[in-house]
Amino acid sequence: MLALRLARGAHPLVQLRRLMVAAASAGTGFLLLCTLGHAMGHPDASANSLLRLAWCVIPLAATVYFAVAVARSDPGTKPRSGLSAVGLGPGRLTLLTAISTAIACTLGSMLALLFFLHLRGDLSGLPFDGAARELLAANEPLPLAAALTLLTFVPLAASGAAAFVLRPQTAKPGKPATEQAEEPTPAPTGLPWGIALLAAGLAVETYASHAPGDDGFPMPGGLGGSSTGVLAGWALTALGLALAGPGLTYLCGRALQAVRPGAVRLLAGRVLQEEARRIGHPLGVVCAVASGTYAATVLYAGGGPDLGPLSALGAALVVGCTVATLVTAAIEARQSRRHTTAALLRLGAPATMLRGAAALRAGVLLAVFGPLTWAVAELSAIPLMSR
């Protein structure tokens, strides 16, 4: 009940983010139910049904990633002084965050079930009643237990991931991390691993594109198959970009402060260093999704097969969730700096200086991650076009 009250009394922007999580959960749940409909309509093609279920892991991961970002930015579940005295310590707040995430995802899953039943024709009286009877195997009885099991994937995964990521951190003296004195932000350590995985992924893609005897890993929605090695290489590339994102963001902050910086450059560089971990990972993931989207566009341009509705929904979920996660991380970073911003304004810092620092941060990130995304996309598309 406390989680419901916190959800009901939140700011409208917080409610909007929760509704976006519910919408992403609804889309992913609908994709999972469509795999069930395909399995019911094609009982002899169990391998193809399992393949469709495997492809649902990508939008599922994107939805969980977005749900965790929204849970982390929720101001209603952040630790505050005095809450431990009324039984709302860090552990209890983490539990409330997990419950709130589960509620939003469960709402989306229920909407997905209603829409699925409506398109099958099991629910009548609305537009598009039974519009996808053949696609969703309306002539077969729906196994309700299997449908509900599939719909629990998103709420359980999202709430579990939120609880794990937001669990109370304890330092060596035994005090929570929120009670420790502030220390200088150390540099992220994932940049060498990210570069190594990025190089390994591109090498695997290039080698697999010329390897004989690989029939490819078929894609749903009418799209052709791609080499299993090429897809594995792209996965390594995406992981490398995600790991390298915080380190690159931190280096951008150091570069801004090099060679006798002024107030604007110094402020922009320090903020990038402080927020390197918070916005670096979403930036890397967006770069990976953008490069993959570009490679797929080049591969299927011209006379390629049409993108099916379910594949389009899955692609929209992945792109939308990754971009929304980056925007949420940027908003969270801005909220975490509000006290510093207010202090600078009280000391007489002009608002134009703060806006200039923000524009400088955005410009340097775009100057670094834009060409990186384009280069990775071009290198990823070359092996796909050579097949």
Side-chain angles (χ1 to χ4, degrees), residues 236-260:
L236 288 176
T237 301
L239 182 59
L241 286 172
L243 289 178
L248 290 176
T249 304
Y250 191 88
L251 289 180
C252 288
R254 290 194 62 179
L256 284 177
Q257 301 175 75
V259 192
R260 301 177 64 181

Side-chain angles (χ1 to χ4, degrees), residues 248-249 251-252 255 287 362-374:
L248 290 176
T249 304
L251 289 180
C252 288
C287 290
V364 72
L365 290 178
L366 183 61
V368 172
F369 284 91
L372 175 63
T373 303
W374 176 81

Side-chain angles (χ1 to χ4, degrees), residues 230-385:
V230 170
L231 293 176
W234 182 85
L236 288 176
T237 301
L239 182 59
L241 286 172
L243 289 178
L248 290 176
T249 304
Y250 191 88
L251 289 180
C252 288
R254 290 194 62 179
L256 284 177
Q257 301 175 75
V259 192
R260 301 177 64 181
V264 176
R265 287 172 51 198
L266 184 63
L267 178 61
R270 288 292 177 87
V271 169
L272 282 181
Q273 287 182 319
E274 289 290 333
E275 306 296 339
R277 287 179 174 82
R278 180 178 282 123
I279 66 175
H281 287 300
L283 269 174
V285 173
V286 168
C287 290
V289 172
S291 62
T293 303
Y294 175 82
T297 302
V298 171
L299 176 62
Y300 296 107
D306 294 331
L307 190 67
L310 298 182
S311 296
L313 175 60
L317 281 172
V318 173
V319 174
C321 287
T322 52
V323 173
T325 301
L326 177 59
V327 174
T328 302
I331 294 175
E332 181 188 5
R334 182 180 180 182
Q335 291 176 347
S336 66
R337 299 193 307 270
R338 65 183 184 274
H339 297 297
T340 303
T341 302
L344 289 174
L345 292 176
R346 286 195 303 268
L347 291 174
T352 55
M353 185 188 74
L354 300 179
R355 289 194 293 267
L360 186 59
R361 291 195 302 270
V364 72
L365 290 178
L366 183 61
V368 172
F369 284 91
L372 175 63
T373 303
W374 176 81
V376 173
E378 289 287 346
L379 292 175
S380 300
I382 292 175
L384 297 177
M385 292 185 295

Side-chain angles (χ1 to χ4, degrees), residues 45-73:
S46 58
N48 194 9
S49 299
L50 288 176
L51 177 63
R52 289 170 176 261
L53 184 62
W55 276 108
C56 290
V57 173
I58 300 177
L60 174 63
T63 301
V64 171
Y65 187 54
F66 176 48
V68 171
V70 171
R72 186 171 51 221
S73 64

